[in-house]
Amino acid sequence: RKEVEQDPGPFNVPEGATVAFNCTYSNSASQSFFWYRQDCRKEPKLLMSVYSSGNEDGRFTAQLNRASQYISLLIRDSKLSDSATYLCVVNAGGSQGNLIFGKGTKLSVKP
Amino acid sequence: EAQVTQNPRYLITVTGKKLTVTCSQNMNHEYMSWYRQDPGLGLRQIYYSMNVEVTDKGDVPEGYKVSRKEKRNFPLILESPSPNQTSLYFCASSPTGVFLSYEQYFGPGTRLTVT
């Protein structure tokens, strides 16, 4: 069965906090990994692609551990505008076009 | 402006009445996909298309049809809608699906209610 599992959340954090989201995937043949952000009732938007070497974009850092089939997203110095649902996305192994979304983790950043 | 458009944005219909939700992109993208989003279940892929005339099932294709006769359009067809197809539907496109490391651009969503 193809699955992508995320922390259930919600995460309620103060401004300036560091928060980490975790995601595990079940198919070892998966090759493409992403974090998307979705604001309430809006369409998802790409936050970061996740590469084997890990990657950083400003306050956001994504890591991939293929051996453990684990992806993480770290947000440093949280802003109020970071409040959203974060979706882990993985392609189904053997099929680049078949994408599996996690159920998402809701983040609420408070003043 | 580069975008993915969906129509209609909101639709209320009755069981069994065939409907089509259109999706169009103006970015010359090869890859297009349909998703449904339900509370507690997240986004689930219905169908996807790697290019013109190439379509494949996602995880929840039952009760849906698609076609990709031209690059820009990817309509979603519900031949006989049922209440369990009440959902929020998103269309998305990406430059290529051959190595899907590119961003998917999502349409604004279509909220469908089947009574």
Side-chain angles (χ1 to χ4, degrees):
Chain A
R1 182 179 176 183
K2 299 175 288 187
E3 285 186 349
V4 175
E5 301 287 344
Q6 292 186 242
D7 286 347
F11 284 37
N12 297 307
V13 303
E15 264 188 298
T18 296
V19 60
F21 300 139
N22 302 315
C23 172
T24 58
Y25 59 96
S26 62
N27 194 323
S28 60
S30 295
Q31 297 174 315
S32 300
F33 311 92
F34 310 90
W35 285 102
Y36 276 75
R37 169 195 169 126
Q38 186 175 27
D39 293 294
C40 187
R41 297 195 181 93
K42 299 280 193 177
E43 69 273 23
K45 293 185 179 178
L46 180 70
L47 181 66
M48 300 177 76
S49 298
V50 186
Y51 303 114
S52 296
S53 54
N55 44 303
E56 185 174 315
D57 182 3
R59 298 182 292 108
F60 300 86
T61 301
Q63 296 281 348
L64 168 64
N65 184 322
R66 286 186 184 273
S68 301
Q69 295 178 204
Y70 172 96
I71 305 160
S72 65
L73 176 68
L74 184 75
I75 305 175
R76 290 180 297 277
D77 188 22
S78 300
K79 312 291 184 190
L80 296 177
S81 58
D82 293 334
S83 297
T85 296
Y86 291 82
L87 306 173
C88 176
V89 185
V90 177
N91 80 296
S95 171
Q96 287 290 343
N98 186 193
L99 294 176
I100 311 297
F101 281 70
K103 294 178 182 177
T105 301
K106 188 173 182 179
L107 173 65
S108 181
V109 182
K110 306 292 188 184
Chain B
E1 179 190 355
Q3 60 183 349
V4 179
T5 56
Q6 294 180 227
N7 282 293
R9 293 288 313 280
Y10 303 90
L11 178 60
I12 301 173
T13 189
V14 295
T15 299
K17 186 177 181 182
K18 181 179 178 180
L19 65 91
T20 299
V21 184
T22 65
C23 174
S24 184
Q25 50 91 8
N26 62 0
M27 296 169 279
N28 201 36
H29 285 173
E30 291 184 350
Y31 177 90
M32 297 186 75
S33 182
W34 275 104
Y35 301 90
R36 61 178 289 175
Q37 186 170 33
D38 303 288
L41 295 177
L43 273 148
R44 294 177 293 168
Q45 192 174 41
I46 303 171
Y47 271 95
Y48 63 96
S49 171
M50 301 291 271
N51 213 326
V52 176
E53 302 290 3
V54 180
T55 62
D56 282 292
K57 295 177 180 178
D59 293 310
V60 288
E62 296 78 18
Y64 304 95
K65 286 175 58 178
V66 293
S67 67
R68 188 90 182 275
K69 292 185 171 59
E70 50 191 339
K71 198 177 236 186
R72 65 181 293 124
N73 296 322
F74 190 44
L76 180 69
I77 304 158
L78 285 73
E79 295 272 5
S80 182
S82 62
N84 64 13
Q85 293 179 297
T86 292
S87 188
L88 176 60
Y89 291 85
F90 288 104
C91 180
S93 73
S94 181
T96 178
V98 175
F99 183 63
L100 201 62
S101 62
Y102 295 100
E103 176 177 3
Q104 281 195 89
Y105 296 83
F106 282 79
T110 294
R111 188 165 291 280
L112 172 66
T113 302
V114 183
T115 62

